Amino acid sequence: QVQLTESGGGSVQVGGSLRLSCSASGGTSSTTWMAWFRQAPGKGREGVAAIYRGGNSPYYAENVKDRFTISQDYAKNTVYLQMNSLKPEDTAMYYCAGKRTYDSEWFVEERYNSWGQGTQVTVSS
């Protein structure tokens, strides 16, 4: 079973930046895709960015494209989410997730079988 641990959340002002980290351990060799999801208060969880562990091929939600960048460090077994030009609507709990399938359903949370505990991001004006 893969264990995922997020870190790097915090409070920033509008226009600021944060970098989230997701450290993976235990059975990661079977993981195909890693993704970041987020959930704002009173809303459902939405996919933000996904990356293929076997290469790169990042995918982004439209509302974060050109502001967020997902990347990975194989040696550290860590996935990152660099978030720039943050907006108040980016405020949410951010979750790291991993799945074992090769389908293209990058932002369907039911396809992911490993989840972290989440890290809070708060953007204030």
Side-chain angles (χ1 to χ4, degrees):
Q1 185 70 19
V2 177
Q3 289 85 44
L4 302 175
T5 304
E6 303 96 334
S7 61
S11 297
V12 295
Q13 292 190 325
V14 170
S17 298
L18 281 174
R19 189 178 80 156
L20 306 183
S21 299
C22 172
S23 178
S25 62
T28 57
S29 61
S30 61
T31 300
T32 56
W33 285 85
M34 295 291 294
W36 288 94
F37 287 76
R38 68 185 182 186
Q39 187 168 20
K43 295 187 177 181
R45 192 147 52 182
E46 64 170 347
V48 173
I51 192 166
Y52 178 54
R53 281 182 55 83
N56 271 316
S57 302
Y59 289 90
Y60 299 96
E62 279 298 319
N63 54 357
V64 305
K65 195 179 293 185
D66 300 326
R67 298 189 298 122
F68 290 10
T69 302
I70 189 171
S71 62
Q72 57 190 341
D73 184 325
Y74 294 107
K76 296 182 179 180
N77 234 351
T78 299
V79 175
Y80 303 98
L81 185 69
Q82 177 67 43
M83 305 185 296
N84 299 327
S85 303
L86 283 163
K87 305 176 181 180
E89 51 263 42
D90 295 318
T91 295
M93 183 71 79
Y94 282 72
Y95 299 90
C96 177
K99 66 175 181 176
R100 300 174 185 172
T101 58
Y102 290 92
D103 57 80
S104 58
E105 296 180 309
W106 307 294
F107 298 146
V108 177
E109 60 177 297
E110 290 78 13
R111 304 298 290 172
Y112 289 80
N113 57 290
S114 300
W115 291 85
Q117 82 289 349
T119 185
Q120 178 68 37
V121 172
T122 302
V123 185
S124 58
S125 56

